[in-house]
Amino acid sequence: MSISYHSTNKKAQKVGFREALSRGLAPDGGLYMPDSIPTLSPQNWNEFKGKDIRTIGKIMLRPWLGEFFSGDDFDQLVEDALNFDAPLVQLKENLYVLELFHGPTLAFKDFAARTMGRLMAALLRDENRELHVLTATSGDTGAAVADGFYDVPGIRVWVLYPSGKVSPLQEKQFTTLGKNITAIEVDGTFDDCQRLVKQAFVDEDLNRKMKLTSANSINIGRLLPQMVYYARAWAQLKDDAPPLFSVPSGNFGNLTAGLLAQKMGLPAAGFIAGVNSNRTFFDYIQSGTYEPRKSERTISNAMDVGDPSNFERILALYGGQINELRKYIHPYWFSDDETTAGMHEVNDTYGYVMDPHTAVGYLALKKMRRETGDKRTGIVLATAHPAKFLEVIPEEMHQHIEMPDALSKLKDRAKKSVTVSADYDAFREIVLAGR
Ligand SMILES: *Cc1c(COP(=O)(O)O)cnc(C)c1O
């Protein structure tokens, strides 16, 4: 039985997974959502206890992807893509951190990017046109996608990023690779980058000339692999009580993956969305009106998103009912000063260094507990390794941060990028010229 996908705008035709993956955005500008969500039995979830991430990944992803592969090929793909763990670290009795930064680019996006790179290579091998992956990044996506798609035959990657708004090491991660990876440095904000990408997808003339897709979390192919680490977190908990997940959020792809996992049967007590001063989602839950904001620069820059792209998916998952949404997702926002204080607090209390994004997740869980008295097990998703964000982490903590090899070796590599204004025609020229 194969799963079909519809657009959240309801105007585009339904498609299969292959098409949804290769298009990224639906032609009506909406996001693809599955018509149905396969569930695993309670017994499956019980059996996940103690299992490793690859075993869990194969079981969770097979109902979504299995039909496209012979058994061995599917297993191999999952083994290659999920070749690092998501360890659950306990800070105190009911407080855990799920470390999602043990992949090659040290942020959670490696899980999805590694899987997507391999899926696209496998599923689109028979198409004889080069596939152009357009991806807007506030920092970590660019790195993960560049790494996950590096040197994949038939795929050309364009990474758009806001000039001067990503950390120096993040920038090196996607501007120093070369080969099939081109970095486009946009004189504007992350939202400008995202807008340029979205515009390219609805540009009919461009789409006739080139086959385009997205590796941003508008692509459903990004969200499916991200379900797996939620289950892996559950597998590492000793007891059976459903935990609360606190998710540092920007475009809300990570959180949407958690919701999908919950629909598959993941025992979850609820989700907490931690955001920075880009608090569009927080305001929406408060007021009931969705008003995109201009993105503001913060120290948790990967969450500087004023118009989160997965908002439409989240709303769709709850049938457009804000009151349903309010029951399961609890948003909190924090200023940079609060975030810095949070990093200090965690370091002083637990001797653990969090990067600024993770600190926002920690603060959100703490605030929710203070407001509601909730004592259930809480899991903060640690979305990036602190070494990626040294310039915004208080100096006294630096001695406790180990610099991973993957980062230290980048220091001396030369950056290469194409600069462009935040103007669609200028951007289009560059992409067309590089076809
Ligand atoms: C991308 C990113 C986020 C935000 O994730 P979304 O899926 O866009 O909500 C949070 N933290 C880090 C470190 C990131 O790289």
Side-chain angles (χ1 to χ4, degrees):
M1 191 199 59
S2 71
I3 298 166
S4 52
Y5 294 80
H6 60 271
S7 160
T8 49
N9 282 354
K10 302 265 165 63
K11 296 201 184 75
Q13 285 200 329
K14 291 189 183 189
V15 296
F17 178 73
R18 194 187 289 260
E19 187 75 12
L21 177 78
S22 82
R23 280 181 181 273
L25 198 67
D28 62 1
L31 305 184
Y32 282 117
M33 282 296 275
D35 281 344
S36 60
I37 296 174
T39 53
L40 301 176
S41 68
Q43 193 190 342
N44 278 129
W45 291 99
N46 287 338
E47 286 169 2
F48 279 171
K49 289 289 183 190
K51 292 280 190 315
D52 63 81
I53 191 158
R54 294 155 153 194
T55 305
I56 293 170
K58 286 175 207 163
I59 296 170
M60 274 189 103
L61 296 176
R62 187 166 279 123
W64 298 89
L65 307 173
E67 64 176 303
F68 302 109
F69 299 89
S70 71
D72 287 352
D73 290 350
F74 174 77
D75 288 353
Q76 194 59 51
L77 185 142
V78 175
E79 301 226 346
D80 287 348
L82 306 181
N83 67 346
F84 54 96
D85 197 12
L88 192 65
V89 175
Q90 185 165 26
L91 298 187
K92 68 170 180 180
E93 196 207 332
N94 61 353
L95 177 62
Y96 294 82
V97 178
L98 182 67
E99 293 186 346
L100 300 175
F101 51 69
H102 295 280
T105 72
L106 311 163
F108 76 93
K109 294 185 174 83
D110 283 324
F111 287 97
R114 289 181 67 79
T115 312
M116 264 182 95
R118 284 162 177 79
L119 275 175
M120 282 190 183
L123 295 185
L124 309 174
R125 195 174 290 141
D126 311 334
E127 306 203 7
N128 44 20
R129 285 171 82 190
E130 194 173 31
L131 181 66
H132 293 262
V133 176
L134 301 184
T135 190
T137 185
S138 53
D140 290 332
T141 296
V145 170
D147 184 89
F149 289 70
Y150 181 64
D151 221 6
V152 173
I155 297 187
R156 177 84 191 261
V157 177
W158 304 85
V159 179
L160 286 80
Y161 73 103
S163 183
K165 297 188 180 69
V166 306
S167 85
L169 275 177
Q170 281 181 319
E171 186 176 29
K172 292 252 166 151
Q173 286 184 308
F174 53 81
T175 56
T176 60
L177 288 165
K179 284 210 177 165
N180 62 332
I181 315 291
T182 306
I184 301 187
E185 187 171 353
V186 177
D187 185 12
T189 61
F190 170 68
D191 286 334
D192 288 323
C193 298
Q194 193 148 266
R195 177 176 51 79
L196 293 177
V197 168
K198 279 200 171 180
Q199 211 164 333
F201 287 123
V202 293
D203 177 340
E204 285 179 21
D205 181 62
L206 187 70
N207 282 274
R208 263 194 299 277
K209 295 187 167 118
M210 309 171 68
K211 189 164 172 58
L212 303 179
T213 190
S214 162
N216 278 99
S217 54
I218 56 177
N219 196 313
I220 187 74
R222 253 276 293 264
L223 302 188
L224 303 182
Q226 291 184 179
M227 296 185 300
V228 177
Y229 50 71
Y230 283 92
R232 172 70 182 132
W234 157 254
Q236 290 170 84
L237 287 175
K238 298 277 180 294
D239 63 35
D240 291 335
L244 292 161
F245 289 96
S246 185
V247 189
S249 293
N251 259 323
F252 284 74
N254 200 356
L255 198 136
T256 306
L259 299 175
L260 288 171
Q262 188 184 31
K263 300 254 173 197
M264 287 190 78
L266 168 78
F271 293 86
I272 300 163
V275 297
N276 59 30
S277 56
N278 295 280
R279 42 180 237 247
T280 306
F281 186 81
F282 173 87
D283 288 345
Y284 167 73
I285 295 287
Q286 299 286 309
S287 71
T289 318
Y290 183 78
E291 285 180 82
R293 305 160 68 100
K294 252 179 99 64
S295 58
E296 254 176 54
R297 201 173 162 186
T298 74
I299 59 169
S300 47
N301 66 18
M303 315 199 301
D304 293 352
V305 183
D307 185 6
S309 53
N310 282 289
F311 173 72
E312 293 169 43
R313 281 200 173 106
I314 293 182
L315 201 57
L317 279 171
Y318 291 101
Q321 300 293 316
I322 186 171
N323 286 331
E324 283 302 298
L325 232 154
R326 283 182 176 131
K327 277 188 222 158
Y328 300 103
I329 308 177
H330 313 281
Y332 294 94
W333 78 274
F334 299 92
S335 67
D336 278 355
D337 286 348
E338 290 171 310
T339 305
T340 303
M343 288 190 274
H344 275 295
E345 181 181 307
V346 174
N347 185 49
D348 294 346
T349 317
Y350 306 108
Y352 186 89
V353 182
M354 286 181 172
D355 92 289
H357 306 81
T358 307
V360 168
Y362 164 80
L363 290 168
L365 174 65
K366 191 175 156 191
K367 192 159 188 180
M368 189 263 191
R369 282 178 165 161
R370 200 167 52 228
E371 283 185 0
T372 62
D374 200 314
K375 297 246 173 12
R376 290 175 292 189
T377 297
I379 298 177
V380 177
L381 272 58
T383 47
H385 193 292
K388 278 189 108 164
F389 297 96
L390 280 186
E391 47 296 313
V392 289
I393 294 180
E395 224 160 88
E396 71 229 54
M397 298 178 201
H398 290 197
Q399 54 179 327
H400 306 300
I401 303 174
E402 204 178 316
M403 182 60 67
D405 289 346
L407 280 188
S408 51
K409 70 169 196 235
L410 287 174
K411 283 218 182 71
D412 307 321
R413 297 235 180 110
K415 158 184 162 182
K416 225 180 125 203
S417 67
V418 185
T419 49
V420 68
S421 63
D423 169 64
Y424 181 67
D425 289 330
F427 161 67
R428 188 178 192 273
E429 290 280 307
I430 290 174
V431 176
L432 270 176
R435 201 161 24 137

